[in-house]
Amino acid sequence: MLVFKNAKLIDGTGKEPVENASILIEHGRFREIGTDLSYPGDTIVIDLKGKTVIPGLIDAHIHINGSSRLDRPGASHLIPSYNFAEMREGCLRWGVVAVRSCGQFVEETLAFREGVENGTIERSPRVCMSGPMFQSPGGHPCYTVFMSDPDVEQFACAIVKEDTEIEPIIKKSKEQGVDFTKVFYAHLNKMDYPNPVPRISKKKLQEIIDISHRYGLSVTVHVDCPEEMKDAVELGADVIEHMIGAGETQNDFSDELVALTKQSGAIIDPTMISIKRFDPLNDSAPSVWNAVKKAVMKCYHAGIPLAVGCDAGIPFVPFGEAVHDEMACLNDVGIPPLEVITMATSGNAKLLGMDDHIGTIEPGKDADLIVLEKDPLEDIKNTKTIELVFLKGRVVTDCISEM
Ligand SMILES: [Zn+2]
């Protein structure tokens, strides 16, 4: 058994922090949490006086086989021995214990996830993943950022024409065990701005959403502008990714759209950091940053649930660390640090369907936690002052010994 004592505990439930908390861990799980615990004499005791403990963090939007670095071989030349190493090590270094991959090579990722779940791959966050990325011929992302890469087209995408049969694709995804459907309902051309690319029709979007729901899969929709968001929300999207893309010119989030979104129950995953890093998109593009902040603030004040996703795995958005930058962006629009931490832990755990075992520091949950040198409630940037990361009761990152 292992016990942390004298910690300031932020447990991820949203409750106010507890001072001088003790956290008892046994067999990889939290056994007991309190201010006056008793435990056997042979228990390992770690005194955390002056430190803060938070649950492991969760990234609601990554691309698991992507890379933030430009010096790595392209996605289609993925080397088997690489085995998602950048994702795994980046996440564990920065206390990210679960990820939601919103588009990737499906078969390779299914095999990898299997290894994570059966324990043959130990050093990895847990994985929730989409099926193939539904998108239009000539559209984003296969024919823009992936430059028509044939491997991406064949193994990571489902290219949707007007007469494409959707049901067999969803049926296969369901049988393979993917967790949700990802659709691009988007027009921005990041490689040849401002010329737009085609997007799938509203009719096809409806079909993808309806059939996914019939098969018990939730649907997450990448949109670039309020008009696309309105269509997606009206048609029953469960999660909206981004809201406003870098370079977008229609940025007016009407009160009607916010009310409609609230009423629909959709979750918004604004991925602010991924937009900030590309803003402005180029010399002829307007900055969208203020519009993004305003839209997120409007959603927050309307009580719309927000996810903490980064789009890690795209250039300049590194795995793991980006979650801390996204949390800082959310705090920057006026969301208090305690709420931001709750969103990135228990909130995201619900979105990934993992809230029965991760997301909070409570008895019975997996013993994932981060020890911070400084208090993140004083400054959200202190979530980066990581000393230790525990995954299922084991140390996976130790910054103290490295110092
Ligand atoms: Zn993405």
Side-chain angles (χ1 to χ4, degrees):
M1 264 193 277
L2 168 71
V3 68
F4 292 106
K5 63 174 197 179
N6 294 327
K8 177 170 185 169
L9 173 65
I10 298 169
D11 68 7
T13 62
K15 280 190 291 209
E16 287 299 317
V18 176
E19 301 286 349
N20 298 313
S22 293
I23 304 160
L24 189 59
I25 295 173
E26 188 182 38
H27 304 312
R29 298 215 172 121
F30 296 120
R31 178 172 152 152
E32 224 183 324
I33 291 119
T35 48
D36 187 22
L37 295 189
S38 51
Y39 38 83
D42 60 354
T43 304
I44 299 166
V45 179
I46 302 178
D47 192 333
L48 295 179
K49 197 165 177 44
K51 319 278 187 196
T52 303
V53 169
I54 62 172
L57 300 168
I58 299 168
D59 192 339
H61 187 145
I62 71 158
H63 296 282
I64 197 165
N65 50 226
S67 175
S68 63
R69 293 159 22 199
L70 295 177
D71 62 351
R72 227 198 81 198
S76 67
H77 309 295
L78 198 73
I79 307 157
S81 64
Y82 182 77
N83 207 12
F84 308 98
E86 185 183 339
M87 183 284 295
R88 289 185 288 128
E89 293 307 320
C91 286
L92 297 183
R93 164 61 184 85
W94 291 100
V96 174
V97 298
V99 292
R100 179 171 172 268
S101 188
C102 294
Q104 66 287 307
F105 289 116
V106 177
E107 309 257 339
E108 277 165 304
T109 307
L110 282 164
F112 173 76
R113 186 183 66 171
E114 169 88 38
V116 174
E117 285 178 356
N118 69 24
T120 51
I121 299 165
E122 284 185 22
R123 282 192 66 84
S124 174
R126 300 160 187 84
V127 177
C128 166
M129 60 179 283
S130 74
M133 299 180 276
F134 285 92
Q135 67 148 84
S136 71
H140 181 70
C142 186
Y143 307 95
T144 56
V145 292
F146 290 111
M147 296 182 279
S148 310
D149 186 309
D151 285 353
V152 172
E153 185 179 54
Q154 191 181 348
F155 302 114
C157 293
I159 309 300
V160 178
K161 299 185 188 128
E162 266 323 282
D163 60 356
T164 300
E165 270 197 74
I166 302 300
E167 184 157 356
I169 307 170
I170 307 270
K171 187 165 179 280
K172 185 180 170 194
S173 286
K174 182 68 187 177
E175 285 164 2
Q176 287 177 315
V178 310
D179 300 297
F180 64 97
T181 295
K182 167 77 182 280
V183 193
F184 287 81
Y185 189 64
H187 66 281
L188 281 174
N189 185 350
K190 285 159 184 155
M191 302 304 277
D192 184 24
Y193 186 83
N195 300 315
V197 285
R199 71 173 171 231
I200 60 169
S201 68
K202 197 172 164 181
K203 182 169 157 275
K204 289 315 259 190
L205 177 62
Q206 169 130 51
E207 234 181 293
I208 295 164
I209 292 175
D210 291 350
I211 295 170
S212 294
H213 285 169
R214 212 174 340 115
Y215 279 85
L217 294 174
S218 68
V219 182
T220 200
V221 185
H222 167 129
V223 302
D224 287 331
C225 67
E227 181 201 330
E228 289 165 352
M229 178 161 149
K230 180 167 180 283
D231 286 350
V233 165
E234 277 178 345
L235 295 176
D238 301 282
V239 186
I240 299 291
E241 303 292 336
H242 315 305
M243 296 201 285
I244 299 174
E248 182 52 51
T249 50
Q250 332 159 30
N251 295 330
D252 189 23
F253 272 68
S254 66
D255 293 343
E256 291 73 30
L257 176 56
V258 173
L260 188 73
T261 307
K262 165 80 178 156
Q263 200 190 358
S264 79
I267 295 168
I268 302 290
D269 184 13
T271 70
M272 296 175 78
I273 192 66
S274 74
I275 299 159
K276 193 178 186 190
R277 297 263 152 96
F278 287 91
D279 184 67
L281 188 61
N282 65 23
D283 288 348
S284 66
S287 168
V288 298
W289 185 237
N290 285 333
V292 168
K293 289 209 286 189
K294 206 168 136 194
V296 175
M297 209 182 302
K298 269 193 160 185
C299 290
Y300 171 71
H301 287 299
I304 295 168
L306 298 173
V308 181
C310 306
D311 224 345
I314 67 168
F316 315 118
V317 182
F319 292 109
E321 186 177 10
V323 177
H324 299 263
D325 297 330
E326 181 71 15
M327 290 198 295
C329 289
L330 290 162
N331 177 237
D332 197 30
V333 303
I335 308 175
L338 184 63
E339 277 186 65
V340 172
I341 292 167
T342 308
M343 288 172 186
T345 54
S346 60
N348 274 359
K350 281 189 205 103
L351 172 58
L352 273 70
M354 296 184 184
D355 52 314
D356 60 337
H357 60 291
I358 65 169
T360 59
I361 297 177
E362 292 179 296
K365 296 262 175 102
D366 286 0
D368 298 352
L369 60 79
I370 307 174
V371 176
L372 300 173
E373 186 200 347
K374 294 181 184 163
D375 184 355
L377 303 186
E378 279 170 17
D379 181 350
I380 192 77
K381 292 190 180 70
N382 288 342
T383 60
K384 283 195 174 183
T385 63
I386 294 175
E387 293 195 339
L388 290 167
V389 177
F390 275 71
L391 178 72
K392 298 180 190 172
R394 288 197 206 175
V395 180
V396 287
T397 296
D398 176 353
C399 300
I400 305 171
S401 310
E402 282 166 15
M403 277 193 278

